[in-house]
Amino acid sequence: MTLTLKNAAKTFADGTAALKPTSLAVQTGEIVSLLGPSGCGKTTLLRIIAGLEAPDPGGQVLFDADDVTDLPVERRQVGMVFQSYALFPNMSVRANIGYGLKMQKLPRAEIEARVDEVLEMCRLSDYADRAITALSGGQRQRVALARAVAPRPRILLLDEPLSALDAALRDSLRDELARLLRRFEITAIFVTHDQTEALAIADRVAVMRDGRIEQIGRPEELYRRPASAFVATFVGHALALDGDVTGSVLALPGGNLPLPGAAPHLSAYVRPEDIRITPDGPLEARVESAVFLGTHYRVTLAGVTRHPLVAIHAAPEAPKTGSIVRLDIAPGAVLMVPAEGPAA
C-alpha cells in the first residue's frame, strides 16, 4: 500500500501548532523513519496517519487512492507497535498474537494458520505457549510486532518500539527489527529520536524539526549531503568549522582550508572521521586529549576553530596530549550548508 499525506497539519485547542502543513509520499513496502528530537511533531504525524488525531481542515491522508482522512482508527486497517508493547500479561504468546484475528471473527483454522506463520517468521515458535511475563524484553518486542502484522494491516506504524529496552539489547535487536520489517514486505512508518536506529532500519529518513520535515532522503544522502546545519549535526556528529570564507577558501586560526563551491552565505561542517592527523596537513592544532576506544582513538583538538574539534584517529598510537599536530580535511569531506545555527 502507498501512503500519501497532503498538507497535513495539527493545531491543538490551546493554539499549539504541533505540526505545520506536511506532505509525504511513501511507496509500497517502503520503511520510512520519522526522526527528530522530542516535540518536533513526529508522534503527532504518526497519530494522524493512524487516525488517532484528525488533521486541520484541508489536510488529507490517502491509503493508495482511498481518502481515509475522516475514517476512524478501527476502520483504517493499521497495525501499531508502541513503546510499552501493550501486551496482555494474562495471555500466552499465541493468544496475544491471535487476539486481533479473533476480533475480526476469522475462522479458527485461519487464525491458527496465521498465528503459526508469524510465530515462525518472528522466531517465536518455541515460545508460543509461554506467558508474556516469562519472556525477555526482546522476545516481548517480537511478540508485539507479530501481533501487529498478523491481521495483515495495510500499513504498520511503530512508535519508538525499542526505547523500552536497555542499550545493549536495543543494539542487538535493531538489525533484527529491520530484517523482520523487510520480510513482512509491508509499508511501515517508524518513529524514533535515535539516529542510529533510523539509519539502520529505514529505506528513507524524514528528519523533523519544529513541526515540519527539514529533509527526507536515503540514510547515506542525509549523512553525506545534509540540507541544513540542523540535519548535519542531528544525523551524525558534524562539527562547525568557524572561520571567514573568502572565495573558495576558509581562513581558520590554524591555517587555510580549500572548500568545495564555497559562498559567503554557506557554513562549513566536518565529521570526526574526515579529520586526518597527518604530517603534511595544511592546518595546525594542539592535542587536548586522546581516548582509546578499541578500534580507534578519539582525539580532541584545539586551535583550529573557536570550539575544539574531535578526530577519529585509527593508528597504533595516539598523539601526545599537549603536542602540536598537522591536520588535513579533504575538500570533498566538508559539508557546506546554509549559514544558520543548529537548533538547541
Side-chain angles (χ1 to χ4, degrees):
M1 187 205 80
T2 61
L3 166 69
T4 305
L5 295 176
K6 296 182 179 180
N7 296 313
K10 184 62 183 180
T11 305
F12 290 106
D14 63 358
T16 301
L19 184 69
K20 298 179 175 66
T22 299
S23 296
L24 176 67
V26 181
Q27 301 305 309
T28 300
E30 189 178 23
I31 303 169
V32 171
S33 176
L34 305 179
L35 172 68
S38 297
C40 70
K42 57 187 185 293
T43 297
T44 300
L45 183 55
L46 190 79
R47 289 174 62 84
I48 288 174
I49 297 169
L52 296 170
E53 296 283 358
D56 293 347
Q60 280 186 295
V61 181
L62 291 91
F63 290 179
D64 287 331
D66 301 330
D67 189 336
V68 299
T69 309
D70 298 321
L71 212 61
V73 59
E74 63 271 15
R75 293 180 56 196
R76 291 198 185 190
Q77 293 179 263
V78 297
M80 290 183 280
V81 179
F82 301 101
Q83 302 176 40
S84 63
Y85 307 148
L87 298 171
F88 300 113
N90 60 322
M91 292 184 182
S92 67
V93 169
R94 180 182 294 277
N96 265 277
I97 295 172
Y99 181 80
L101 303 176
K102 288 181 67 176
M103 294 300 99
Q104 291 180 350
K105 302 188 186 313
L106 296 179
R108 181 173 179 177
E110 184 175 351
I111 292 175
E112 291 179 354
R114 285 209 210 171
V115 171
D116 286 341
E117 178 186 21
V118 294
L119 280 168
E120 187 277 327
M121 292 178 74
C122 294
R123 296 192 287 197
L124 289 167
S125 298
D126 293 341
Y127 307 95
D129 298 318
R130 290 196 187 181
I132 293 298
T133 53
L135 302 181
S136 68
Q139 290 163 348
R140 293 183 192 189
Q141 190 263 341
R142 281 185 280 156
V143 173
L145 185 59
R147 187 180 66 178
V149 300
R152 297 176 183 169
R154 302 181 74 181
I155 187 169
L156 182 63
L157 308 177
L158 304 100
D159 188 6
E160 304 269 11
L162 302 180
S163 64
L165 306 175
D166 62 68
L169 184 56
R170 186 166 61 245
D171 288 346
S172 67
L173 284 177
R174 190 173 57 227
D175 293 342
E176 173 78 355
L177 179 58
R179 181 191 70 81
L180 285 172
L181 289 176
R182 284 175 174 81
R183 190 173 180 188
F184 291 137
E185 297 181 339
I186 188 172
T187 307
I189 306 295
F190 179 89
V191 164
T192 183
H193 66 274
D194 187 308
Q195 54 152 316
T196 304
E197 285 180 13
L199 297 180
I201 292 173
D203 298 310
R204 286 191 301 151
V205 178
V207 181
M208 298 191 66
R209 179 193 191 192
D210 297 334
R212 63 184 179 87
I213 293 176
E214 185 104 344
Q215 185 178 358
I216 183 168
R218 293 180 299 105
E220 298 91 341
E221 180 184 348
L222 296 180
Y223 194 83
R224 296 170 183 160
R225 296 188 296 280
S228 68
F230 175 76
V231 175
T233 54
F234 194 82
V235 179
H237 300 285
L239 308 162
L241 294 173
D242 297 319
D244 297 321
V245 176
T246 303
S248 60
V249 174
L250 178 65
L252 299 166
N256 294 330
L257 184 71
L259 296 175
H265 63 284
L266 297 179
S267 293
Y269 284 76
V270 67
R271 299 197 184 279
E273 65 269 24
D274 292 323
I275 300 173
R276 298 191 297 272
I277 299 175
T278 179
D280 56 355
L283 303 176
E284 184 178 274
R286 184 182 70 257
V287 177
E288 288 199 336
S289 67
V291 179
F292 181 59
L293 296 176
T295 58
H296 62 273
Y297 291 93
R298 185 177 186 273
V299 183
T300 303
L301 304 158
V304 180
T305 67
R306 288 189 285 271
H307 304 287
L309 293 179
V310 174
I312 301 301
H313 186 56
E317 295 183 357
K320 289 183 169 43
T321 300
S323 64
I324 302 299
V325 297
R326 307 295 301 185
L327 307 179
D328 184 27
I329 302 170
V334 177
L335 308 173
M336 302 303 298
V337 298
E340 62 168 306

